[in-house]
Amino acid sequence: MKHAGILAHSPDGSALCYLELIHLGHARFGGYGHGDVTMDYIPFGSSRGAWDRGDLASVRATLAKSIGRLKAAGADFFLCPDNTAHIALEREGAPLALPGLNIADVLADEAVAKGYRRIGILGTRFTMAGPIYPRALGARGLGWLVPETGERETIDRIIFDELCAGVFTDASRKAYLDIIARLKTEGCDAVALACTEIPLLVTPDVSPLPTLDSTRLLAKAAFDVTTGERQMPVWRGGPI
């Protein structure tokens, strides 16, 4: 089985992805059967200033360093359960030390498989305004919609002030559900939980729209790579 390397860029979503990958192996093989998994996390605080300055080259360099450490640990490929990080990973730059799965492409493929046509996008302000989901969804002929400006500010504030710190409240859950309900009135038939912490707050049983959980979808894709049921990725960063 292949050795998966988890490139962590924020803690809770990466931990959820790790646990999902492990649980998939246990469910399939029993006895906690799964490939080797290594996770590397350079604290997000070291990159937060670069994100605020728009210094994506610096962010990419930090992520590349982490991928290099995963390779040194023996990983065959990487997965990054952080949607925003993919903005930096998709920038021009030297090839990354390992091939990796692209979270937006994994989610977009699932949207096609489920027959969805217009996807609401929830994530950080960087992800909602960024190019990765318009690229991935548009390439598959799918439509997308991001929340209104005030809603985006609310979503982003809750992510950074609460979710990334492990804080999950009923008030914040209601705020997200109200935004999803409005996206439904705008013609969305599914919502992308395009921040890996959001599935810890918004679950399918309470969402007004079917959810595309980027965290668990990425974990499933990675598990399939480790077992040989999905081809090894070939993307080593840069534009797609």
Side-chain angles (χ1 to χ4, degrees):
M1 296 178 73
K2 298 297 185 183
H3 182 160
I6 298 178
L7 168 60
H9 195 50
S10 57
D12 286 79
S14 298
L16 175 60
C17 189
Y18 163 78
L19 288 172
E20 182 71 9
L21 200 160
I22 299 301
H23 293 162
L24 286 167
H26 184 54
R28 175 77 63 82
F29 303 115
Y32 298 96
H34 50 77
D36 291 344
V37 183
T38 298
M39 182 158 63
D40 190 82
Y41 177 44
I42 296 175
F44 177 70
S46 65
S47 297
R48 181 65 189 271
W51 278 113
D52 290 339
R53 295 190 305 272
D55 184 3
L56 296 181
S58 176
V59 175
R60 194 183 195 278
T62 299
L63 297 172
K65 177 181 178 181
S66 200
I67 294 169
R69 300 196 315 201
L70 290 170
K71 181 178 181 179
D76 295 303
F77 70 100
F78 80 88
L79 58 149
C80 181
D82 188 295
N83 291 269
T84 300
H86 283 71
I87 299 173
L89 292 171
E90 288 191 18
R91 284 179 60 86
E92 293 280 1
L96 301 172
L98 290 172
L101 293 165
N102 184 284
I103 197 169
D105 286 328
V106 168
L107 185 144
D109 285 342
E110 180 70 5
V112 171
K114 290 289 181 65
Y116 300 135
R117 300 301 306 163
R118 194 179 199 207
I119 314 301
I121 302 172
L122 268 61
T124 67
R125 65 184 183 276
F126 306 107
T127 297
M128 289 185 287
I132 62 170
Y133 277 98
R135 174 196 61 74
L137 296 170
R140 292 158 177 82
L142 303 179
W144 68 90
L145 184 66
V146 296
E148 296 174 348
T149 301
E151 295 172 333
R152 294 200 299 271
E153 292 171 354
T154 296
I155 293 167
D156 185 80
R157 175 185 58 77
I158 290 171
I159 289 170
F160 285 113
D161 292 353
E162 299 178 19
L163 305 189
C164 286
V167 177
F168 307 94
T169 69
D170 290 339
S172 293
R173 181 176 296 105
K174 183 179 184 304
Y176 274 49
L177 297 181
D178 288 346
I179 292 169
I180 295 171
R182 196 194 62 75
L183 291 172
K184 184 177 181 178
T185 69
E186 294 290 327
C188 291
D189 54 5
V191 61
L193 305 184
C195 166
T196 44
E197 282 78 22
I198 294 177
L200 295 165
L201 184 71
V202 176
T203 53
D205 58 308
V206 299
S207 176
L209 283 172
T211 59
L212 291 162
D213 179 343
S214 64
T215 310
R216 290 183 171 90
L217 290 172
L218 183 65
K220 176 61 166 59
F223 177 74
D224 289 345
V225 172
T226 67
T227 63
E229 296 169 76
R230 182 186 180 108
Q231 289 186 338
M232 275 282 291
V234 297
W235 175 63
R236 289 180 177 262
I240 296 178

